[in-house]
Amino acid sequence: MSPRYLELVCPAGTPAALRAAVDAGADTVYCGFRDCTNARNYPGLNFDPDELREGIGYAHERGRHVLVAINTFPRAGDQGPWQRAVDEAAAAGADAVILADLGVLDYATRRHPGLRRHLSVQASAANAPSIAFYREHFGIRRVVLPRVLSIAEVAALVEETGVETEVFAFGSVGPMSEGRCFLSSYLTGLSPTSEGACAPASHVAYVERNGEVLSRLGTTTLNRFAPGEPAAYPTPCKGRYVTLGRASYLFEEPVGLNALGFLPELKAAGVTALKIEGRQRSRAYVSQVVGTFRAALDALARGEPPPAAALTGETEGGRETAGAYRRGWR
Amino acid sequence: MERSEPPLALLRSAATVLPPAILNRLAAAVVRGLERTRPKLIANFAQLPAAVVVVAPTDLPYRFALSVGRRPVALRIVDGDPGPADAGVSGDVATLIDLVEGRIDGDSLFFRRDLVISGDTAVVVGLRNVLDREELSVAGELGALCGPLRPQARAVARALDRALDGLGRRLAAMHRTLHPPGDRPPDVAAEIDRCRGEIAALTARLAALEARQKRRDERDA
């Protein structure tokens, strides 16, 4: 592997995906337990404690790191699962835990002071005083920045806070008030921030009708895709709504974030790590996206231009965007 | 388990030629084999919510009904109505095998509309995730049925697959020779128009006969 240009942090929803990420060139892999303590709580996904131990062993043998996301918010009066998750991550030898809730941060700080703590994007810390608060009170070493900042704003935060920053390089994009979005709970009755799933699969339905596909969340139809039109996830922020007689994407279009084209700018901004989103995706996606970013980072580390690569086949809606990095937030 | 390209032509031909009774015996043997070689896969299937998922390859005459969320996990192959199902997945057989073997991403297929999902989405997502935890090889799992004769069986399967693939190409070429692109297809629209005209004429003639009969009946009365 070439000298590190930017740390490549990659998703793993299963032990097989973890191995795929490591084999494809991830510096670091993040994953979560099979329960409500992480924000990708989907059926059949995630790790039990034994699988986590084995996965960490696989990564460490190859000089890579594993982070454990415990990044949902405990239900009132029910800290138990979140505290157990922190204990199990520490016992399994995780290199860091990714946390969002103040109580869970406090527990990890007191109970496992030697365990590195990262601030999850779910904490939605997007300004210097907020990040400084988490650094001073909970000793966070890294903040995962919300997808609402321009590159100039990221650079300013790096300068002001002195905390490592991890930014999203590939995956979903939405009108994020991350960790504070309850849109899907109005349609499903389930909280995305405590149950760990926005648009939970149990409430999603796809209906094929005359070549069109209707996507539904609960009893609400969120979108209708014409024959051949690329489809998207049924999340409320990417629904197509009729206003003034016209159907349009009011909040955000179904597109995927791809920062492959401006990695040097992110490095110049002082970013430490790039995050690939997609623990709910397959190991085929992980291999493809991680391999592409690995090749680009290695080329840049050698002072060469990154090889041409197309990842639109992996993006939601079959389209890519630079998100807020280029245009700032609306 | 060795990973190799699935013998698609052989699988398609076997699924087309063999009767459901034999295919079902093969399916039961595959599930029994997986219980021995991949107990975690079967345990994860059993942990899913109880459901029947019907997988419908668009280019095969059969459907696969997989019962999960219980022990034993069961796989049935049916050529008619598979009965009540909780969820369905549909796509061509090559795509479905790529999905099972982890060569392709299910969400990407869905975005491109190459995979159709119906019914209980949680069951389909759970099934996809459980399969993706394993590094499965369809050819390998089928080959395992042959026990110690697996290497010979693989060699025979490869040879048969190549022969069937070649036969398919020759038949396609023969079809193109017999039906060259210059052959004009019958003008269906003109034929429909002709039939419509004939029906209209017959209807008018029937009406005239009925009217004549009615007049006769009135006169005789």
Side-chain angles (χ1 to χ4, degrees), chain A residues 43 46 204 226 231 233 282-283, chain B residues 105 107 111 113 121 129 132-133:
Chain A
N46 297 317
V204 168
Y233 291 125
S282 68
R283 64 181 196 275
Chain B
D105 180 64
D107 288 16
F111 296 150
R113 309 278 296 273
T121 308
N129 290 338
D132 206 52
R133 303 176 86 84

Side-chain angles (χ1 to χ4, degrees), chain A residues 194-248:
Chain A
S194 292
E195 306 290 341
C198 170
S202 55
H203 289 64
V204 168
Y206 299 105
V207 180
E208 187 94 4
R209 190 177 289 168
N210 301 325
E212 289 186 333
V213 170
L214 274 58
S215 65
R216 289 189 177 143
L217 185 60
T219 56
T220 304
T221 299
L222 289 178
N223 218 329
R224 176 195 288 163
F225 302 102
E229 183 184 10
Y233 291 125
T235 52
C237 59
K238 292 178 186 172
R240 198 154 22 184
Y241 301 98
V242 179
T243 50
L244 302 174
R246 183 171 153 266
S248 66

